[in-house]
Amino acid sequence: MEGLIDQASQFVSAHGMWAGPVVGILCFGESLAIVGLFVPATAVMLAIGGLIGADALDAWPIFIWAVAGSILGDWVSYGLGNRIGPRIYRRWPLNRHRPAVARTRLFFRKFGFAAVFMGRFLGPIRATVPLVAGVLAMPGRPFQIANIASATVWVPLMFAPGYLAAGTFGSQWSIDEGHLMLGALLLAGCALTATFLGSRLLGRARKRGRARASARLEGGNAPCRCPQDG
C-alpha cells in the first residue's frame, strides 16, 4: 500500500496537469460502496496537500476535482441502493460485510440527514452510508445537500496537514517532517475519536431499539384484564 501511495504522489508531482483528475478518481473510488475500503485516497491527499503548500501544484483545480469525485462517488452509491433496493444486501460483496451494513443502517435510521454528512468522516461506515440512504429511499434533495456539504468540508480537511507543513505556516513556524507526522497522528486520532463516538451512539440506539421491541412484545403478551361478569 505504501508503494502505491508513493507512486501516485510521484506521478502527480511529475505531471502536475494530471493532479486534479488523479485526485478526483481516488476520491470517487473512496466514496463508492465497499470499494472505498481499499482505495488509499486519504493518504495520497495528505501528500498532495504538501505539494500544494510548497506551490508545486495549483490548489483550486485539485480542490474542484476532489470535491466533484467525492460527490459523484456518494451519488453513484446512493443511486445503486435506490435502484436495487434491499436485495443488494444479499449480494457480493455486501453479503460478506453484514455487521458493517447493519451498523450503518442503525446509524442512518437514528440520524437521517445528519448521518449522510457525518458518515463521510467516519471511516468504517463512509463507504456504505450513501448506499443505505438509497435503499431506505431517502429523498434526493436532502441527500444531495448533505453530500455536497460534507464533501466541501472533507476535502480541505484532508489537504490541511500537508499544506500547513509545507506552506507559509510551515516556513514561519519551522514545521518539519516530525510535525507533519504529529499532525497526521492528530488527524488519525480525531478520526478514531469520531468513530468511537459513532460506535457508542450506534450501541445506544441498538439498546433502545431492543428495549422498545421487548416492551412491545411484553405488552402484546400481557393478559387481558377484563371486568368479571356478576
Side-chain angles (χ1 to χ4, degrees):
M1 185 66 72
E2 292 182 0
L4 179 61
I5 294 171
D6 290 339
Q7 290 177 7
S9 302
Q10 291 173 8
F11 177 84
V12 168
S13 179
H15 306 84
M17 63 179 295
W18 290 101
V22 168
V23 175
I25 292 171
L26 287 172
C27 290
F28 171 76
E30 189 170 31
S31 300
L32 282 176
I34 300 301
V35 176
L37 298 174
F38 309 101
V39 178
T42 300
V44 175
M45 291 172 72
L46 290 172
I48 291 178
L51 295 175
I52 294 174
D55 293 328
L57 296 173
D58 190 3
W60 279 109
I62 297 174
F63 173 79
I64 293 171
W65 274 96
V67 171
S70 301
I71 292 171
L72 185 60
D74 274 17
W75 194 355
V76 170
S77 297
Y78 169 84
L80 287 174
N82 191 258
R83 183 177 182 83
I84 300 175
R87 299 193 312 276
I88 198 170
Y89 297 146
R90 299 188 292 272
R91 297 183 179 181
W92 184 90
L94 288 180
N95 59 1
R96 297 179 178 271
H97 299 272
R98 290 181 179 177
V101 173
R103 288 193 296 269
T104 304
R105 292 171 64 187
L106 285 171
F107 185 71
F108 180 81
R109 288 183 182 278
K110 179 172 178 58
F111 295 103
F113 174 89
V116 178
F117 184 92
M118 293 187 295
R120 196 181 295 275
F121 302 88
L122 302 175
I125 64 174
R126 179 190 305 154
T128 51
V129 167
L131 183 78
V132 170
V135 171
L136 296 179
M138 179 181 182
R141 181 174 296 179
F143 172 81
Q144 291 298 358
I145 292 173
N147 181 19
I148 294 170
S150 62
T152 305
V153 175
W154 179 74
V155 167
L157 283 178
M158 294 298 100
F159 286 142
Y163 177 84
L164 294 175
T168 303
F169 291 106
S171 61
Q172 289 180 349
W173 296 340
S174 300
I175 298 179
D176 55 17
E177 292 182 0
H179 293 95
L180 177 58
M181 181 62 68
L182 178 60
L185 290 174
L186 288 174
L187 183 63
C190 291
L192 289 174
T193 301
T195 302
F196 172 76
L197 292 175
S199 299
R200 291 294 299 273
L201 291 172
L202 286 173
R204 292 177 182 176
R206 188 181 298 114
K207 289 180 180 178
R208 284 195 291 268
R210 289 175 179 172
R212 286 195 294 267
S214 177
R216 286 196 297 268
L217 183 61
E218 291 177 359
N221 294 333
C224 177
R225 298 180 178 179
C226 301
Q228 298 293 328
D229 294 335

